[in-house]
Amino acid sequence: MARVDPGRLTSLLNPWLRSGPGYSAVADGVRGLALDGRLPAGTRLPSERGLAVALGVSRTTVSAAYDVLRTEGYLVSAHGAGSRVALPAALHVRPDADPGEPASVLDLTVAALPAPPQVLEAATAAAATDLAALLADHGMHPYGLPALRSAVAAHLTGRGVATDAEQVLVTGGALQAWNLLLRTLTTPGQRVVVEQPTYPAVIDAVRAHHLRPVALPVTADGWDPPSSSTARGAVLAHVTADGQNPTGLLASAEQRRELLAGLRGVPLVAVDETFADLVDPAEAPPRLAAVARRPGDPAVVTLGSMSKSFWAGLRVGWVRGEPELLARLAQARASLDITSPVLEQLVAVRLLAQADAVLAERRALLAERRDALLSALARGVPDWVVRPSRGGLVLWVLLPTPGATLLAAHALDLGVRLSPGPRFTVDGTGDRWLRVPFTTPADGVTALVDVLREARARAVSATPTDRTPARWTA
Ligand SMILES: Cc1ncc(COP(=O)(O)O)c(C=O)c1O
């Protein structure tokens, strides 16, 4: 385990000690160094006496500083093992954490699985083997690593969408790709069509660019194109035909053609394929980019991601589009985060090379979990309407009466964090709907449904709660 010697810690602490080496300045300094990572968690600090000598202060000063840090959770001391830097538990919470929520929460606001074992294998091999050859230059590739652009092109070609590496721009996820399109192709005040319900960040991004979201209703029967007057003047649309989030819908080939026809007049449709690889290829209708377009149909650009099919922690996604558009997006990214990290891209190359095997395992795991959750819901809350999802990672559940927001607040009291329906709509409607991911292992679904039933009972009986439902949703 790393340790920091008294001399080194003294020089790191110098900026904090300019106003005088009191105990609170020492505590502030160590806290700051822990938070900015220069003293990583686990680092062993010098003894009180050793640091006091190096700083030229009394031992009581250092002792008082260590006491403060211990109380705050930045220092853990054990007899014989000295004092080690730690990060307090409260630092691990989310931006929307509700003060007072239970310490351990089952987080169902994130519809994503933990990494499969192949991610660690790929990461290890990429770091040990592939990285060395790329260290000789500055490491920034505005369109993405050539090897990853080729791998994504091959992957899409294998799924029926003939693609050249030239047509692929690597991004930091599908959501960044959507933001780049908004940044590049729109000006404030314009209309952008989004599905309703949809992934909340799609709407939030539209608003963040000072644009007006126009709802394209998605019902149990499919996509219901907005009337021509609503869509009129829209400059862009966002659709997810493969495992729509949150409804789980998988558009049939006919629905895909109708969807494109319904969006005539919108110059460009961004097809978000974040969940597409979780659909069994044997059942998958043609990808939207491969659906033959009729005269007047909008142009299509595809957004893709490693997040749901492999691991969201990689933050690797892509855009498939015409090279002229990609050049504009790559240029726009120059003022954002410039390019994607090299190592993660190398990991993605290795994972895509074994996509068929990894994805077959993912689909089998999800099918088992989805079926377990469906049965538990049918047993535990038989009056809720649940439609089996054909894609994606979530069930979109209809409650007998409105109250999903209140249910989510009570669920938080009971240790489960959920995203209620209105989070997924442009206009705040949808309070009869609840999104429930089927990421929970089969042996946990009965307990989960018990919580949902109890939370609903409390909501219906107007039991008071101080909680506010989570906003951070993925
Ligand atoms: C439709 C949709 N697009 C994009 C994302 C985010 O993808 P990424 O992690 O690749 O940015 C999500 C995450 O839930 C999603 O549901």
Side-chain angles (χ1 to χ4, degrees):
M1 192 61 83
R3 60 168 71 217
V4 56
D5 66 48
R8 168 87 184 128
L9 185 53
T10 301
S11 62
L12 285 171
L13 286 173
N14 266 336
W16 278 275
L17 303 182
R18 287 201 186 109
S19 55
Y23 79 92
S24 60
V26 176
D28 288 349
V30 173
R31 190 189 305 104
L33 294 165
L35 286 171
D36 74 12
R38 279 180 289 169
L39 284 180
T43 307
R44 185 166 177 172
L45 293 189
S47 67
E48 292 174 2
R49 185 194 306 276
L51 184 58
V53 170
L55 289 175
V57 299
S58 74
R59 184 176 166 180
T60 334
T61 301
V62 176
S63 188
Y66 279 18
D67 275 347
V68 169
L69 292 164
R70 227 174 267 121
T71 310
E72 292 176 346
Y74 288 95
L75 211 60
V76 177
S77 304
H79 191 65
S83 295
R84 294 186 184 280
V85 174
L87 286 177
L91 277 187
H92 302 300
V93 300
R94 308 151 26 120
D96 58 351
D98 187 335
E101 68 186 32
S104 117
V105 170
L106 172 63
D107 193 351
L108 293 182
T109 56
V110 177
L113 286 171
Q118 291 89 343
V119 171
L120 185 57
E121 290 158 19
T124 311
T129 313
D130 311 336
L131 185 59
L134 293 165
L135 295 175
D137 76 3
H138 50 56
M140 290 194 282
H141 304 264
Y143 287 92
L145 278 186
L148 182 53
R149 296 178 77 194
S150 299
V152 171
H155 184 73
L156 292 174
T157 302
R159 271 134 191 91
V161 187
T163 305
D164 286 335
E166 287 278 282
Q167 291 172 283
V168 176
L169 168 75
V170 175
T171 65
L175 183 59
Q176 186 187 59
W178 173 235
N179 275 274
L180 288 174
L181 286 173
L182 294 170
R183 188 181 254 243
T184 308
L185 301 179
T186 67
T187 51
Q190 289 183 319
R191 289 164 182 260
V192 173
V193 175
V194 298
E195 295 164 323
Q196 169 153 296
T198 189
Y199 169 48
V202 167
I203 307 171
D204 292 348
V206 169
R207 295 217 164 97
H209 286 85
H210 308 287
L211 298 157
R212 284 189 284 162
V214 177
L216 161 62
V218 182
T219 65
D221 301 324
W223 289 255
D224 192 3
S227 66
S228 55
S229 64
T230 357
R232 189 175 302 134
V235 286
L236 189 60
H238 179 280
V239 298
T240 42
D242 306 273
Q244 208 266 349
N245 183 8
T247 60
L249 284 180
L250 176 65
S252 65
E254 184 51 30
Q255 281 175 317
R256 285 164 203 251
R257 281 189 286 275
E258 285 169 6
L259 185 53
L260 288 179
L263 290 170
R264 282 187 188 155
V266 180
L268 184 66
V269 174
V271 178
D272 189 330
E273 293 189 343
T274 295
F275 293 91
D277 281 334
L278 296 178
V279 178
D280 185 343
E283 294 180 10
R287 300 268 175 118
L288 255 168
V291 169
R293 280 191 289 293
R294 288 173 280 203
D297 278 1
V300 162
V301 61
T302 306
L303 319 181
S305 175
M306 302 290 287
S307 287
K308 307 294 174 174
S309 30
F310 295 91
W311 190 47
L314 285 173
R315 308 308 312 137
V316 171
W318 54 82
V319 183
R320 175 194 181 275
E322 292 310 312
E324 298 72 32
L325 173 64
L326 301 191
R328 293 176 67 192
L329 301 179
Q331 187 60 45
R333 196 176 172 189
S335 62
L336 200 63
D337 60 347
I338 314 179
T339 56
S340 290
V342 170
L343 189 52
E344 278 76 352
Q345 293 184 74
L346 291 172
V347 178
V349 172
R350 284 188 170 262
L351 289 171
L352 286 173
Q354 41 182 329
D356 288 346
V358 177
L359 293 172
E361 288 168 23
R362 298 298 251 180
R363 284 193 289 270
L365 179 78
L366 283 169
E368 182 197 317
R369 293 184 178 186
R370 180 200 56 204
D371 292 347
L373 181 58
L374 282 169
S375 323
L377 286 165
R379 278 194 311 273
V381 282
D383 55 337
W384 297 13
V385 182
V386 190
R387 284 181 320 112
S389 141
R390 291 199 54 215
L393 281 162
V394 303
L395 297 178
W396 187 233
V397 176
L398 183 63
L399 306 175
T401 57
T405 305
L406 205 49
L407 185 161
H410 283 292
L412 195 48
D413 269 331
L414 297 165
V416 177
R417 193 185 278 122
L418 288 159
S419 303
R423 194 67 192 92
F424 300 84
T425 62
V426 169
D427 51 14
T429 54
D431 202 35
R432 264 187 80 185
W433 296 93
L434 190 65
R435 189 188 77 161
V436 189
F438 44 82
T439 45
T440 308
D443 60 3
V445 292
T446 304
L448 168 62
V449 172
D450 287 346
V451 166
L452 296 180
R453 190 180 47 241
E454 172 60 19
R456 168 80 181 159
R458 291 187 189 185
V460 169
S461 65
T463 308
T465 174
D466 292 334
R467 303 281 154 258
T468 44
R471 278 194 65 73
W472 199 96
T473 303

